[in-house]
């Protein structure tokens, strides 16, 4: 039986790689795009862990909570999604007239960047003004929290797991100011400043970028989550790719080593973990490859055996009525957390059990959610990203593609609903396009 499973995993892996290579044009880390980054995201956070579980690894505290029946059903659903998603991307690419994605993407990378000096003084003034607004928003956020989180941890040695939930779920201030002006706008402005600095190499763009970089790091460590700051810094590597500055494997390896070291530092600094590094039972490695996907098995364990299907109740009110339900914003990750770690929820130390998008699709719509969700996600990701790549390559276009690339790849392990309603992504579009329209005085250039 184990031999059969090993052969099945090998065949699955070969198809998984082949389909994503076709959909992305190349899996080279020197030419990452939305599709190839999605491949590595699923590979690291989902594929490896699910294959280990399928082959018999059960020695993980979350996996132990799932029955063998739930594990079998989840494995079949996951393996289907691993192939359906890239296949869906390939089909959409063909429908958009893109037969060879490698050529299509290389043309974008090699394309000259336009509108570099045009009105860049005006853009600088807009960025400075918005940066000031974001800075005020950060001060307001600290005021509503009642303290500066990192200072409180250092001076009082407070429990970061408790503070994380208090800050993220118990914030008493305006959520839009914190989530949009602080956590969203400030990092996006830093990306814009970086692009202009890398192209123009002027001191004012350099200092503006450094200022926004420091603010962004503060924003990304606001609730003591370990990955946001690492992911934020990784985006600058993606920008270097989109700018056409990555030509060899040396820079990527350097970046990966730095970010890997940074992740381990943040992990050990924000947790009480003192065990070994190379272990699959606890620590950073299982946190990356097992914990995220393990919650998917708990979704299949919970629905509909313990909790009835949500039937669209995870969607916002503006959409949930379509599914004939009077409930909304009931996220499956929270429901699963309340089922399997109710004591942690009551103590205020547990948040949500988010997993691959497939989990929330299943929690809402059962088998139909499993069958349809990979194709819908592929459609949304491909349509949006390809449309952006077809436009003129301007500094704003580069940043917009960056935002879409990391947002979509991150949503793959965040939730199905967010692909249809994501206020952060909508705000980012409004912000970038708004800045573009201001200095263009309302002129729009669109290529279909």
């Amino acid at each position: 039986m184990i031999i059969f499973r090993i052969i099945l995993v090998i065949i699955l892996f070969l198809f998984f790689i082949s389909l994503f290579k076709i959909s992305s044009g190349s899996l080279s880390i020197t030419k990452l795009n939305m599709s190839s980054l999605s491949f590595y995201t699923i590979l690291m956070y989902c594929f490896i862990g699910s294959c280990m579980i399928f082959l018999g690894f059960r020695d993980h505290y979350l996996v132990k909570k799932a029955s063998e029946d739930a594990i079998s059903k989840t494995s079949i659903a996951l393996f289907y999604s691993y192939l359906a998603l890239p296949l869906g991307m390939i089909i959409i690419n063909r429908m958009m007239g893109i037969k060879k994605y490698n050529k299509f993407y290389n043309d974008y990378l090699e394309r000259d960047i336009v509108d570099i000096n045009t009105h860049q003084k005006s853009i600088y003034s807009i960025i400075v003004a918005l940066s000031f607004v974001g800075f005020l928003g950060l001060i307001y956020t600290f005021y509503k929290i009642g303290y500066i989180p990192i200072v409180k941890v250092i001076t009082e040695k407070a429990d970061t797991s408790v503070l994380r939930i208090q800050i993220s779920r118990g914030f008493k201030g305006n959520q839009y100011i914190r989530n949009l002006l602080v956590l969203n706008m400030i990092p996006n402005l830093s990306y814009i400043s970086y692009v202009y600095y890398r192209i123009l190499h002027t001191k004012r763009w350099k200092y503006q970028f450094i200022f926004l970089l420091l603010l962004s790091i503060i924003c990304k460590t606001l609730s003591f989550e370990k990955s946001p700051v690492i992911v934020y810094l990784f985006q600058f590597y993606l920008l270097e790719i989109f700018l056409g500055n990555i030509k060899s494997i040396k820079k990527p390896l350097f970046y990966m080593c730095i970010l890997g070291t940074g992740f381990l530092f943040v992990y050990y600094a924000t947790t009480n973990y003192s065990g070994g590094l190379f272990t699959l039972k606890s620590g950073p490695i299982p946190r990356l490859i097992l914990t995220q996907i393990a919650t998917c098995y708990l979704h299949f364990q919970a629905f509909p055996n313990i909790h009835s299907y949500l039937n669209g109740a995870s969607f916002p009110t503006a959409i949930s009525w379509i599914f004939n339900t009077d409930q909304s914003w009931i996220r499956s990750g929270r429901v699963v957390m309340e089922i399997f770690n109710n004591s942690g929820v009551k103590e205020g130390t547990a948040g949500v059990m988010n997993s691959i998008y497939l989990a929330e699709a299943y929690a809402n719509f059962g088998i139909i959610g499993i069958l349809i969700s990979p194709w819908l996600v592929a459609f949304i990701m491909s349509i949006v990203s390809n449309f952006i790549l077809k436009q003129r390559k301007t500094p704003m276009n580069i940043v917009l593609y960056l935002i879409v690339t990391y947002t979509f790849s991150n949503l793959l392990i965040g939730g199905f609903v967010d692909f249809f309603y994501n206020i952060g992504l909508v705000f980012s579009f409004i912000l970038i396009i708004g800045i573009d329209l201001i200095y263009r005085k309302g002129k729009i250039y669109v290529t279909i």
Side-chain angles (χ1 to χ4, degrees):
M1 188 65 172
I2 186 64
I3 299 298
F4 170 76
R5 293 197 172 201
I6 292 174
I7 294 173
L8 183 61
V9 166
I10 293 174
I11 294 174
L12 174 70
F13 184 57
L14 293 176
F15 274 101
F16 178 63
I17 291 179
S18 299
L19 289 173
F20 260 110
K21 187 173 183 179
I22 296 172
S23 70
S24 62
S26 171
L27 296 179
S28 170
I29 60 175
T30 63
K31 293 184 178 181
L32 288 175
N33 53 38
M34 186 275 296
S35 181
S36 58
L37 184 61
S38 297
F39 165 79
Y40 287 109
T41 300
I42 294 176
L43 178 67
M44 177 180 294
Y45 290 101
C46 305
F47 189 92
I48 295 175
S50 61
C51 287
M52 288 174 57
I53 295 170
F54 178 70
L55 293 175
F57 183 84
R58 304 287 192 273
D59 199 9
H60 185 276
Y61 73 101
L62 291 179
V63 179
K64 290 178 180 178
K65 297 176 183 290
S67 66
E68 285 298 322
D69 182 59
I71 289 176
S72 298
K73 291 179 179 178
T74 309
S75 298
I76 295 172
L78 285 172
F79 293 169
Y80 161 77
S81 71
Y82 295 154
L83 303 182
L85 179 65
L87 183 58
M89 292 179 180
I90 294 171
I91 293 173
I92 299 301
N93 292 342
R94 296 291 193 273
M95 292 175 64
M96 295 184 72
I98 306 171
K99 296 181 179 180
K100 295 184 178 180
Y101 206 87
N102 191 35
K103 182 180 183 304
F104 172 71
Y105 186 58
N106 283 340
D107 288 344
Y108 178 82
L109 296 182
E110 296 171 3
R111 199 182 306 166
D112 291 334
I113 302 173
V114 298
D115 288 353
I116 300 172
N117 291 302
T118 306
H119 305 298
Q120 66 100 1
K121 291 183 179 179
S122 299
I123 295 175
Y124 179 80
S125 299
I126 295 172
I127 298 301
V128 169
L130 291 175
S131 299
F132 180 69
V133 173
F135 179 68
L136 292 179
L138 184 59
I139 294 177
Y140 166 83
T141 301
F142 284 145
Y143 173 73
K144 286 298 181 179
I145 292 175
Y147 52 85
I148 299 177
I150 192 65
V151 174
K152 185 178 182 68
V153 170
I154 295 175
T155 57
E156 301 180 17
K157 296 182 178 180
D159 187 346
T160 57
S161 61
V162 175
L163 292 181
R164 183 185 303 117
I165 301 301
Q166 290 177 350
I167 294 171
S168 60
R169 303 188 68 87
F171 183 68
K172 297 180 180 179
N174 188 292
Q175 297 285 347
Y176 292 105
I177 292 178
R178 184 193 67 172
N179 295 340
L180 299 183
L181 297 186
V182 177
L183 299 180
N184 185 295
M185 186 175 74
I186 291 178
N188 287 340
L189 293 177
S190 73
Y191 296 138
I192 296 174
S193 299
Y194 180 78
V195 170
Y196 273 99
Y197 166 64
R198 290 290 284 137
I199 296 173
L200 299 174
H201 300 286
T202 59
K203 288 185 178 181
R204 65 177 182 175
W205 279 113
K206 176 182 179 180
Y207 296 141
Q208 181 63 24
F209 163 65
I210 293 175
F211 172 69
L212 287 168
L213 175 67
L214 295 176
L215 288 187
S216 298
I217 291 176
I218 293 174
C219 294
K220 294 300 181 179
T221 56
L222 192 65
S223 58
F224 307 107
E225 293 178 287
K226 293 170 280 296
S227 60
V229 66
I230 303 300
V231 173
Y232 165 72
L233 295 175
F234 176 70
Q235 309 314 312
F236 292 106
Y237 169 66
L238 292 178
L239 283 177
E240 287 293 300
I241 293 176
F242 303 156
L243 288 169
N245 295 333
I246 304 297
K247 304 298 183 182
S248 69
I249 198 69
K250 293 181 180 179
K251 280 188 177 181
L253 291 177
F254 175 75
Y255 278 113
M256 301 308 167
C257 290
I258 294 297
L259 291 175
T261 303
F263 172 79
L264 292 176
F265 173 78
V266 173
Y267 185 88
Y268 280 94
T270 58
T271 66
N272 296 320
Y273 181 71
S274 58
L277 176 61
F278 301 103
T279 174
L280 293 176
K281 293 183 179 181
S282 60
I285 292 180
R287 176 66 182 85
L288 283 173
I289 66 176
L290 282 168
T291 301
Q292 188 79 34
I293 196 60
T295 57
C296 184
Y297 295 87
L298 298 187
H299 275 71
F300 278 73
Q301 178 76 22
F303 299 95
N305 302 318
I306 303 174
H307 194 289
S308 60
Y309 289 123
L310 298 176
N311 295 316
S314 292
F315 286 85
T317 308
I319 301 176
S320 63
W321 66 270
I322 298 175
F323 306 106
N324 196 30
T325 177
D326 57 356
Q327 296 180 306
S328 60
W329 289 121
I330 302 178
R331 302 306 295 264
S332 64
R334 183 63 175 178
V335 174
V336 173
M337 179 64 82
E338 290 173 347
I339 292 174
F340 293 101
N341 189 15
N342 189 254
S343 59
V345 173
K346 291 180 178 179
E347 294 171 1
T349 59
V352 294
M353 283 190 179
N354 284 335
S355 188
I356 187 173
Y357 69 90
L358 188 77
E360 188 164 60
Y362 170 76
N364 277 271
F365 308 112
I367 300 299
I368 295 177
I370 294 173
L371 296 175
I372 297 178
S373 59
W375 305 96
L376 290 176
V377 169
F379 175 81
I380 294 171
M381 294 176 70
S382 299
I383 288 290
V384 175
S385 62
N386 290 343
F387 177 79
I388 295 174
L389 290 177
K390 287 187 175 184
Q391 307 310 308
R392 300 162 73 246
K393 190 176 182 181
T394 66
M396 295 301 172
N397 172 273
I398 293 172
V399 174
L400 194 59
Y401 183 63
L402 170 77
I403 293 170
V404 166
T405 297
Y406 79 72
T407 299
F408 280 157
S409 62
N410 187 56
L411 290 182
L412 288 172
I413 54 173
F416 178 64
V417 170
D418 294 313
F419 280 99
F420 299 88
Y421 184 87
N422 189 308
I423 188 64
L425 186 58
V426 172
F427 178 77
S428 295
F429 266 81
I430 294 174
L431 175 69
I432 303 300
I433 296 174
I435 295 174
D436 211 32
L437 289 176
I438 290 174
Y439 85 82
R440 289 182 189 280
K441 298 181 180 179
K443 294 181 180 179
I444 302 177
Y445 300 94
V446 178
T447 302
I448 304 298

